[in-house]
């Protein structure tokens, strides 16, 4: 009986091997794999072999960990979002290689994936060089310098196995209340177009797709970027379109991001005049259009121009939106059902898939296999790139006034006071790299002045979210920990539902984290993760205490089983305060549940040091 089962198993393995060899031989004979044929012929051949589901998969994106799952091998997913951020260059390159091999070798047709991230002023990744923020680069008025910066960004990006950057921002900033002014090149259409062209041209030369954004007119009344924009066509064409047009026609940018807002009531992600008539027909754009993160869903949920997700999918793809970012929503089951029911023609889907495949073939992703991990480690945060960043920072400085030649200060000055919330903080700007040594203004001044100079420092007011001081580790006891261990037990999950087995369990001495766009640990996603912290705190005195819980995105805070803070939804960094009477010596159970969806990641538990 055992021998019979063994024989059947061997037969099964043999059949699987034969099928795999046959599949591989079919792949090898396929015209789309022949680099000597034209790109358009290869696309035509590949499209003829694809099922409807495989076509739609090319218009989809996934965010979060993919290794060890069937996201690529089963679905043949076309795009991956910000999956390499937590890793230093070598590890990022090695991970990208493993992922690309899954797509090329373990899917039916072997279609590679496009991995994207942000690179507004340097690739957002562990030990990626950060250059001055975009508004600072614009202040240099030096397009030749921008070309060098872009080339460095392109090299670091491609070396990590990243193929597309969701940059630059070429929106015109004419309202300082808009939260994204720092990401732009300012208020002038001509300067913005010259900087945008320099950026796109030189990153594209390094084999990385650029994605000018947010198309179009992303800021309106009150500095809001997700509402209705009421601009005339003349205003759009004279002020808000020129930089985009230049990036496509002069620099060859291969992608573009549709904006959150609507124009005269039509969402930009479903705006046929914007995405097809102007962009593709009038300007001759041959690349692919991506949604801003969640803007495709916004057709249905925010702008309400569609009654169902199926209708939203129809509006988007027929208008010219090719890829939904960062996860699958309306371009999942809603689009599939719309196609099967004849609401959307397969020809329309083919046109979108063609634009995505064209980009992959132009990059040579079907032929190019691994990136060089050793080179990635060498080029990222290299001495050459640091020096270039220093030069750009120096040229970005704008001195408005120097009355009586007060500056520069003498190094042997008797004393100097450094005051303000930015004095001892290294603020690199939004979408920055991380993991490098940052010198704050206070540190820099101390390093430069004479040893005899007295340096005074005062923080002054606080910026952004305001929280109470973090609880000292010595006041916390982790759940289930041995005596003498302090902090809270942290269980980290690679999903936003605290479900399944934790990807990481550790003792966090404090809940006092600002991961920004990074990750708590290489084992944890940089976006769409959740954490459960558990432990106890024993007050030393009976009194009324105040606590604060500060998060970017959702949080629930329990004390002795009582829910005190329930903010389980996406939000920017926000502090919630609770005042309550605590008894000395009582061990109060602490439970914090937190999730992070996208963007910055902040989690902070504060407690007043003295009773009130």
């Amino acid at each position: 009986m055992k021998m019979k089962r063994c024989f059947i198993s061997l037969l099964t393995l043999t059949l699987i091997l034969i099928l795999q060899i046959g599949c591989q031989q079919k792949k090898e004979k396929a015209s789309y794999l022949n680099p000597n044929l034209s790109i358009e012929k290869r696309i035509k051949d590949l499209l003829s072999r694809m099922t409807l589901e495989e076509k739609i998969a090319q218009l989809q994106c996934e965010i979060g960990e993919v290794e060890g799952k069937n996201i690529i091998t089963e679905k043949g997913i076309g795009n991956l979002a910000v999956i390499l951020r937590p890793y230093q260059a070598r590890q990022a390159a090695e991970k990208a290689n493993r992922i690309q091999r899954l797509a090329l070798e373990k899917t039916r047709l072997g279609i590679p994936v496009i991995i994207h991230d942000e690179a507004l002023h340097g690739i957002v990744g562990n030990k990626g060089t950060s250059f001055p923020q975009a508004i600072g680069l614009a202040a240099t008025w030096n397009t030749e310098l921008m070309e060098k910066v872009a080339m460095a960004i392109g090299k670091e990006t491609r070396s990590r196995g990243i193929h597309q950057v969701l940059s630059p921002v070429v929106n015109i900033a004419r309202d300082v209340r808009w939260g994204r002014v720092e990401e732009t090149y300012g208020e002038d259409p001509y300067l913005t177009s010259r900087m945008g062209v320099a950026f796109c041209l030189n990153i594209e030369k390094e084999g990385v797709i650029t994605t000018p954004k947010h198309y179009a007119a992303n800021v309106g009344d009150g500095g809001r970027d997700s509402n209705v924009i009421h601009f005339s066509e003349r205003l759009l064409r004279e002020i808000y379109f020129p930089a985009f047009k230049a990036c496509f026609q002069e620099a060859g940018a291969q992608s573009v991001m549709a904006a959150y807002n609507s124009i005269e009531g039509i969402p930009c992600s479903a705006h046929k005049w914007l995405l097809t008539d102007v962009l593709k027909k009038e300007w001759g754009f041959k690349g692919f259009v991506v949604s801003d993160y969640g803007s495709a869903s916004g057709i249905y949920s925010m702008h309400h121009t569609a009654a169902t997700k199926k209708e939203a999918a129809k509006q988007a793809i027929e208008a010219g939106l090719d890829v939904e970012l960062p996860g699958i929503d309306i371009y999942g089951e809603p689009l599939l059902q719309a196609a099967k029911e004849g609401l959307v023609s397969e020809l329309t889907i083919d046109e979108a898939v063609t634009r995505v495949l064209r980009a992959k073939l132009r990059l040579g992703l079907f032929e190019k296999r691994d990136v060089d991990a050793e080179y990635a480690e060498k080029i990222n945060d290299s001495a050459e790139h640091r020096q270039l960043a220093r030069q750009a920072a120096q040229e970005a400085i704008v001195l408005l006034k120097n009355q009586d030649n007060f500056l520069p200060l003498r190094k042997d000055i008797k004393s100097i006071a450094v005051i303000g919330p930015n004095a001892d903080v290294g603020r690199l700007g939004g979408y920055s790299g991380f993991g490098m040594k940052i010198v704050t203004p206070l540190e820099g001044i101390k390093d430069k002045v004479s040893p005899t100079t007295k340096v005074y420092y005062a923080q002054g007011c606080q910026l952004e979210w305001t929280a109470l001081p973090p609880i000292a580790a010595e006041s916390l006891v982790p759940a289930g920990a041995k005596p003498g261990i302090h902090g809270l037990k942290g269980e980290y999950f690679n999903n936003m539902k605290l479900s399944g087995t934790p990807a990481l369990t550790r003792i966090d001495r404090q809940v006092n984290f600002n991961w920004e766009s990074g990750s708590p640990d290489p084992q944890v996603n940089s976006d769409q993760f959740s954490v459960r912290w558990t432990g106890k705190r024993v007050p030393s005195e009976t009194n009324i205490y105040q606590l604060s819980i500060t998060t970017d995105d959702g949080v629930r805070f329990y004390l002795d089983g009582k829910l005190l803070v329930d903010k389980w939804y996406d939000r920017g960094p926000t502090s919630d305060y609770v005042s309550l009477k605590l008894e000395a010596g009582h061990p109060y159970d602490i439970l914090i549940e937190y999730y992070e969806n996208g963007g910055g990641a902040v989690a902070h538990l504060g407690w007043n040091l003295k009773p009130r």
Side-chain angles (χ1 to χ4, degrees):
M1 197 70 178
K2 288 182 180 178
M3 289 187 66
K4 185 177 180 181
R5 281 201 297 266
C6 182
F7 174 75
I8 292 171
S9 298
L10 287 171
L11 181 61
T12 303
L13 288 171
T14 302
L15 287 170
I16 291 171
L17 183 61
I18 290 170
L19 287 170
Q20 286 180 338
I21 292 171
C23 183
Q24 187 63 36
Q25 286 176 342
K26 285 182 181 179
K27 278 187 188 180
E28 290 172 357
K29 293 177 182 178
S31 296
Y32 73 88
L33 293 173
N34 183 354
N36 296 318
L37 292 179
S38 70
I39 287 177
E40 300 308 315
K41 285 183 178 179
R42 295 174 71 181
I43 293 172
K44 184 177 180 180
D45 177 66
L46 180 51
L47 275 175
S48 70
R49 301 170 186 270
M50 298 174 73
T51 65
L52 175 62
E53 288 78 5
E54 287 171 332
K55 290 175 181 178
I56 290 177
Q58 289 300 303
L59 312 182
Q60 296 173 339
C61 181
E62 279 284 8
I63 185 170
E65 183 57 66
V66 294
E67 287 192 281
K69 302 179 182 180
N70 61 2
I71 291 170
I72 295 175
T73 55
E74 185 177 285
K75 297 181 179 179
I77 202 80
N79 305 267
L80 295 174
V82 299
I83 59 170
L84 303 176
R85 283 184 184 177
Y87 306 97
Q88 293 190 17
R90 175 183 285 274
Q91 290 72 35
E94 291 169 346
K95 186 176 181 68
N97 288 338
R98 293 194 301 271
I99 289 169
Q100 206 63 268
R101 285 189 214 115
L102 281 176
L104 290 165
E105 300 170 9
K106 302 297 182 181
T107 61
R108 189 177 76 89
L109 294 170
I111 303 174
V113 295
I114 288 177
I115 302 173
H116 76 246
D117 214 308
E118 305 273 359
L120 188 64
H121 57 117
I123 185 63
V124 179
N126 198 333
K127 284 210 165 182
T129 306
S130 277
F131 295 89
Q133 180 56 285
I135 197 72
L137 290 169
T140 69
W141 294 81
N142 189 341
T143 55
E144 291 182 2
L145 176 63
M146 173 60 99
E147 290 173 359
K148 294 176 182 178
V149 168
M151 193 173 295
I153 294 171
K155 290 181 185 297
E156 291 194 9
T157 300
R158 190 67 189 89
S159 74
R160 291 172 178 251
I162 297 169
H163 317 103
Q164 179 185 10
V165 293
L166 306 185
S167 311
V169 174
V170 291
N171 294 121
I172 304 302
R174 292 196 161 185
D175 192 324
V176 295
R177 293 171 294 181
W178 185 34
R180 311 193 76 149
V181 170
E182 65 164 328
E183 301 173 33
T184 74
Y185 300 124
E187 64 182 8
D188 181 73
Y190 182 73
L191 176 62
T192 297
S193 69
R194 294 307 92 202
M195 286 293 180
V197 166
F199 183 96
C200 293
L201 184 64
N202 288 277
I203 288 184
E204 292 272 354
K205 284 180 180 178
E206 296 299 326
V208 176
I209 297 168
T210 53
T211 311
K213 62 184 186 183
H214 311 80
Y215 183 63
N218 193 218
V219 55
D221 295 342
R224 292 172 294 182
D225 63 7
S226 300
N227 295 76
V228 181
I229 302 295
H230 299 289
F231 288 167
S232 68
E233 183 175 347
R234 176 180 177 180
L235 185 60
L236 290 171
R237 289 188 177 278
E238 290 188 358
I239 303 299
Y240 295 95
F241 280 179
F244 284 101
K245 183 179 180 182
C247 287
F248 305 136
Q249 294 188 342
E250 297 181 45
Q254 295 183 68
S255 184
V256 62
M257 177 181 283
Y260 281 120
N261 56 280
S262 65
I263 296 179
E264 298 301 335
I266 303 175
C268 291
S269 292
H271 207 302
K272 188 174 184 295
W273 178 77
L274 199 65
L275 303 182
T276 296
D277 295 344
V278 174
L279 180 67
K280 297 185 177 82
K281 293 181 180 179
E282 186 178 324
W283 294 349
F285 178 70
K286 299 294 184 184
F288 61 100
V289 181
V290 303
S291 73
D292 203 341
Y293 275 26
S295 73
S297 302
I299 298 168
Y300 163 77
S301 62
M302 183 170 66
H303 296 294
H304 307 293
T305 60
T308 65
K309 290 186 177 182
K310 191 187 301 182
E311 185 181 345
K314 174 181 170 65
Q315 287 183 14
I317 198 159
E318 289 184 347
L321 184 79
D322 301 314
V323 176
E324 179 184 18
L325 304 182
I328 302 170
D329 189 16
I330 69 167
Y331 275 16
E333 193 64 24
L335 179 57
L336 179 62
Q337 290 305 314
K340 286 183 175 180
E341 294 170 15
L343 299 175
V344 172
S345 73
E346 193 162 350
L347 178 61
T348 299
I349 292 173
D350 285 353
E351 290 173 352
V353 176
T354 293
R355 290 188 278 270
V356 175
L357 294 178
R358 184 182 291 125
K360 293 182 178 184
L361 286 163
R362 286 184 65 181
L363 288 179
L365 296 184
F366 283 84
E367 290 76 50
K368 292 178 183 176
R369 298 294 173 129
D370 291 354
V371 292
D372 187 340
E374 185 175 340
Y375 174 73
E377 185 174 48
K378 177 183 177 182
I379 197 72
N380 278 262
D381 195 33
S382 64
E384 179 184 357
H385 289 178
R386 276 182 168 265
Q387 180 56 40
L388 182 61
R390 179 189 292 271
Q391 178 191 347
Q394 289 171 338
E395 293 197 27
I397 294 171
V398 178
L399 180 62
L400 298 180
K401 188 175 183 180
N402 190 18
Q403 188 170 339
D404 300 326
N405 293 318
F406 183 74
L407 297 176
L409 297 174
R410 299 194 325 272
K411 289 187 178 182
D412 61 349
I413 191 170
K414 185 177 180 180
S415 65
I416 185 170
V418 186
I419 302 169
N422 290 318
D424 199 27
V425 179
R427 298 193 187 278
L428 301 179
Y431 297 115
S432 297
F434 54 92
M436 313 84 65
K437 167 62 178 172
I438 296 174
V439 179
T440 71
L442 178 62
E443 291 172 333
I445 289 170
K446 286 181 175 179
D447 288 342
K448 285 294 183 182
V449 297
S450 166
T452 61
T453 299
K454 181 68 176 177
V455 179
Y456 298 94
Y457 163 65
Q459 176 182 322
C461 67
Q462 285 188 311
L463 297 180
E464 300 171 340
W465 46 270
T466 302
L468 297 169
I471 300 177
E474 290 70 27
S475 301
L476 300 171
V477 180
K482 297 178 181 179
I485 303 298
H486 295 284
L488 293 178
K489 178 183 177 182
E491 297 172 284
Y492 293 76
F493 300 84
N494 280 324
N495 58 70
M496 298 191 295
K497 299 179 180 179
L498 300 157
S499 62
T501 303
L504 171 69
T505 300
R506 69 186 186 190
I507 303 300
D508 290 323
R509 288 180 58 79
Q510 295 177 315
V511 178
N512 183 24
F513 299 107
N514 186 358
W515 293 297
E516 297 182 341
S517 297
S519 164
D521 187 90
Q523 300 176 63
V524 181
N525 298 341
S526 56
D527 283 307
Q528 297 191 321
F529 65 87
S530 56
V531 191
R532 180 189 297 118
W533 285 285
T534 51
K536 298 178 184 294
R537 184 173 195 260
V538 183
S540 59
E541 182 179 340
T542 299
N543 214 314
I544 296 176
Y545 289 79
Q546 187 181 44
L547 65 86
S548 68
I549 186 78
T550 304
T551 60
D552 185 328
D553 291 336
V555 66
R556 291 190 286 251
F557 178 80
Y558 299 81
L559 195 69
D560 264 5
K562 183 178 181 181
L563 180 61
L564 300 180
V565 176
D566 185 8
K567 299 296 175 67
W568 202 249
Y569 50 81
D570 291 4
R571 61 181 188 171
T574 307
S575 295
D576 294 290
Y577 299 89
V578 176
S579 294
L580 67 170
K581 184 178 181 179
L582 302 179
E583 302 292 334
H586 178 78
Y588 289 89
D589 288 323
I590 291 175
L591 168 60
I592 303 171
E593 295 176 334
Y594 164 70
Y595 82 83
E596 199 280 326
N597 189 11
V602 170
H604 176 99
L605 175 63
W607 207 298
N608 62 322
L609 299 181
K610 296 180 181 179
R612 293 188 175 186

